[in-house]
Amino acid sequence: MIACKTIGLVLLSALAPAAAQAGASNGSSALALSAIVGELSPQTSPYDKKLLAAYFSGRADAPHAKNLRIAVKADAIDCRAGNVDITSRACELTFGSKKVELRGRKANELYATLIENGVVAEGAAGSSHASITALDCSVDADEVAEKAGGGARCAYNP
């Protein structure tokens, strides 16, 4: 009887759909993703965009308010790079009801940064595709200023 229950549980677990594993990154990769997405986000203030740009340009000593934490969020990011039409690069970012489209070099920068942050690219008819949902990044300005490798964290769903 126990053997039948065990076999039944094994079969049931094999047939159950696998839950999507959440992704996460930190450090320089997360800072790059925060800066690129934050620049485009309507929820990121102009002050925070300027500070993220300074950090992404290598200026960890940029002046900031004490205890400042910058949140960067996006509902979805979907990037494609052509492997047949090798000139094709495009990304679409969704922030609530607002959509932002990128093409060319900016799209390639975001696509490569997603890969750097652990997003797995998948092949599709004529293109490679990398996408995430529920991006949630946090940049701690005081920690970034310490230049000790920390201060930026991102989480997302594949």
Side-chain angles (χ1 to χ4, degrees):
M1 182 73 168
I2 294 175
C4 288
K5 286 183 180 178
T6 303
I7 291 172
L9 286 173
V10 169
L11 287 174
L12 184 60
S13 64
L15 295 174
Q21 296 292 322
S25 63
N26 58 51
S28 65
S29 298
L31 179 63
L33 186 57
S34 298
I36 293 168
V37 175
E39 175 186 3
L40 303 166
S41 172
Q43 293 104 2
T44 305
S45 74
Y47 175 83
D48 289 349
K49 287 179 182 189
K50 185 175 177 181
L51 186 57
L52 287 170
Y55 289 159
F56 199 34
S57 296
R59 296 192 322 268
D61 60 350
H64 65 274
K66 189 161 178 62
N67 299 320
L68 176 66
R69 289 186 187 268
I70 302 170
V72 176
K73 298 179 184 228
D75 296 316
I77 301 173
D78 183 27
C79 291
R80 295 182 186 275
N83 56 20
V84 174
D85 176 0
I86 62 171
T87 66
S88 176
R89 286 165 180 70
C91 294
E92 182 177 86
L93 295 86
T94 305
F95 304 98
S97 63
K98 182 175 183 189
K99 294 194 185 287
V100 175
E101 292 188 13
L102 300 176
R103 300 235 178 262
R105 185 180 297 249
K106 287 284 195 181
N108 192 74
E109 179 183 47
L110 179 53
Y111 178 85
T113 303
L114 287 173
I115 303 304
E116 179 185 4
N117 276 271
V119 177
V120 177
E122 298 177 359
S127 66
S128 293
H129 176 87
S131 65
I132 61 173
T133 60
L135 176 67
D136 186 0
C137 297
S138 176
V139 178
D140 181 324
D142 292 335
E143 196 173 346
V144 170
E146 292 174 6
K147 296 184 185 180
R153 293 163 194 76
C154 292
Y156 56 84
N157 293 324

